């Protein structure tokens, strides 16, 4: 069984400040890890993913995340928040293998203050 | 450019009605998924399909059924809509490969059952 924990439901930062969204996972097998973003009234869009190889993963819009196996974490960061980053962010985990399913966290809403 | 479309963005139905939600993808993907998104609960998997005419229950299949007669189309059916099925419904598709392939999402259908 696999699960994802995203603590808190809302994060607010000032424009230009560091963005840190936390994600911890539980998986009985080496996981694949994903961050998706959902802008208002839209579907989900992939930000970045970790499958194998380098544990620091860079994604779109200046976001990155680091896979830390010892901490079972995959936190999302961005050095400088922009107003356009305001959205809901979902962390997800899947097992390896074809036809694997994604398990999502509950999501975190990011607000950016001018 | 990848594209997943859903037949309606907004839908209002009466309790007891039979409701069809349609999803079409143009990427020749084998896997397709139906999720339900509710505030504070994240995305929960209703049903998924590995390939044409194949389907498996997800985490919350009760009250729903699905149909996949053609590779590009995956339908979600609410046999007798109830008010607790008021929600946002998201469809996704993915290529069949065991390397953490990305799921691509449609824009969602917001269903209100009165």
């Amino acid at each position: 069984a696999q699960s994802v924990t995203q603590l808190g439901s809302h994060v607010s930062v000032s424009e230009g400040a560091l963005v840190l969204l936390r994600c911890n996972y539980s998986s009985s097998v080496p996981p694949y890890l994903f961050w998706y973003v959902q802008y208002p009234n839209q579907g989900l869009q992939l930000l970045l993913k970790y499958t194998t190889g380098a544990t620091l993963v860079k994604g779109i819009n200046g976001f990155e995340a680091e896979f830390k196996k010892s901490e079972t974490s995959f936190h999302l960061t961005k050095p400088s928040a922009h107003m356009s980053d305001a959205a809901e962010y979902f962390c997800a985990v899947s097992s390896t293998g074809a036809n694997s399913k994604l398990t999502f966290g509950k999501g975190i809403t990011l607000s950016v203050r001018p | 450019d990848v594209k997943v479309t859903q037949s309606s963005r907004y839908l209002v139905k009466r309790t007891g009605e039979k409701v069809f939600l349609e999803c079409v993808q143009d990427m020749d993907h084998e896997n397709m998924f139906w999720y339900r998104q509710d505030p504070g609960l994240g995305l929960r998997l209703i049903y998924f399909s590995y390939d044409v005419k194949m389907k498996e229950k997800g985490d919350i299949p009760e009250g729903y059924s699905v149909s996949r007669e053609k590779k590009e189309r995956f339908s979600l059916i609410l046999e007798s809509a109830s008010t607790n099925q008021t929600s946002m419904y998201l469809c996704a598709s993915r290529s069949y490969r065991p390397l953490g392939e990305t799921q691509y999402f449609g824009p969602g259908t917001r269903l209100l059952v009165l």
Side-chain angles (χ1 to χ4, degrees):
Chain A
Q2 54 198 27
S3 65
V4 173
T5 300
Q6 295 183 252
L7 288 178
S9 60
H10 185 247
V11 169
S12 181
V13 301
S14 297
E15 192 172 19
L18 170 73
V19 176
L20 170 60
L21 304 180
R22 299 179 186 275
C23 173
N24 289 90
Y25 70 91
S26 170
S27 177
S28 57
V29 297
Y32 293 150
L33 294 158
F34 303 78
W35 275 100
Y36 280 86
V37 61
Q38 184 180 34
Y39 298 104
N41 297 316
Q42 294 186 26
L44 275 67
Q45 176 184 358
L46 181 72
L47 268 180
L48 50 79
K49 66 180 179 182
Y50 169 78
T51 54
T52 59
T55 56
L56 181 62
V57 180
K58 295 187 185 300
I60 62 172
N61 302 337
F63 284 93
E64 62 182 37
E66 186 170 11
F67 170 55
K68 292 188 176 180
K69 185 178 179 181
S70 61
E71 298 178 8
T72 61
S73 70
F74 191 57
H75 301 330
L76 182 71
T77 61
K78 181 174 180 178
S80 177
H82 192 272
M83 298 295 291
S84 60
D85 295 326
E88 191 162 16
Y89 292 80
F90 293 92
C91 182
V93 62
S94 79
S95 58
T96 57
N99 299 326
S100 59
K101 296 179 289 181
L102 275 179
T103 299
F104 285 87
K106 294 185 183 337
I108 296 178
T109 299
L110 174 67
S111 300
V112 182
R113 304 185 300 271
Chain B
D1 199 15
V2 296
K3 196 156 188 184
V4 180
T5 57
Q6 295 183 227
S7 50
S8 304
R9 294 299 304 274
Y10 301 94
L11 212 51
V12 180
K13 296 292 182 181
R14 297 280 180 192
T15 302
E17 278 192 79
K18 191 169 187 176
V19 182
F20 293 86
L21 303 183
E22 304 284 337
C23 175
V24 177
Q25 51 97 0
D26 66 357
M27 296 165 282
D28 201 35
H29 284 167
E30 292 81 8
N31 299 169
M32 295 188 75
F33 306 82
W34 273 107
Y35 295 91
R36 169 177 175 156
Q37 181 180 10
D38 298 288
L41 297 178
L43 275 73
R44 293 178 291 167
L45 182 64
I46 305 172
Y47 266 97
F48 60 105
S49 170
Y50 291 137
D51 211 329
V52 179
K53 295 191 186 295
M54 299 176 72
K55 60 186 179 184
E56 283 206 19
K57 293 180 180 179
D59 300 318
I60 51 165
E62 296 77 20
Y64 303 95
S65 62
V66 290
S67 172
R68 191 157 179 214
E69 297 297 318
K70 294 186 177 181
K71 191 174 187 180
E72 68 271 18
R73 188 180 298 270
F74 191 35
S75 301
L76 179 69
I77 303 155
L78 287 65
E79 295 290 342
S80 177
S82 64
T83 55
N84 62 13
Q85 293 179 308
T86 290
S87 187
M88 168 74 97
Y89 291 88
L90 291 164
C91 175
S93 73
R94 183 185 66 188
S95 173
Y96 170 91
R97 287 197 199 94
L99 294 177
E101 293 298 311
T102 300
Q103 286 192 22
Y104 294 91
F105 284 82
T109 296
R110 193 170 294 278
L111 173 66
L112 173 63
V113 182
L114 299 173

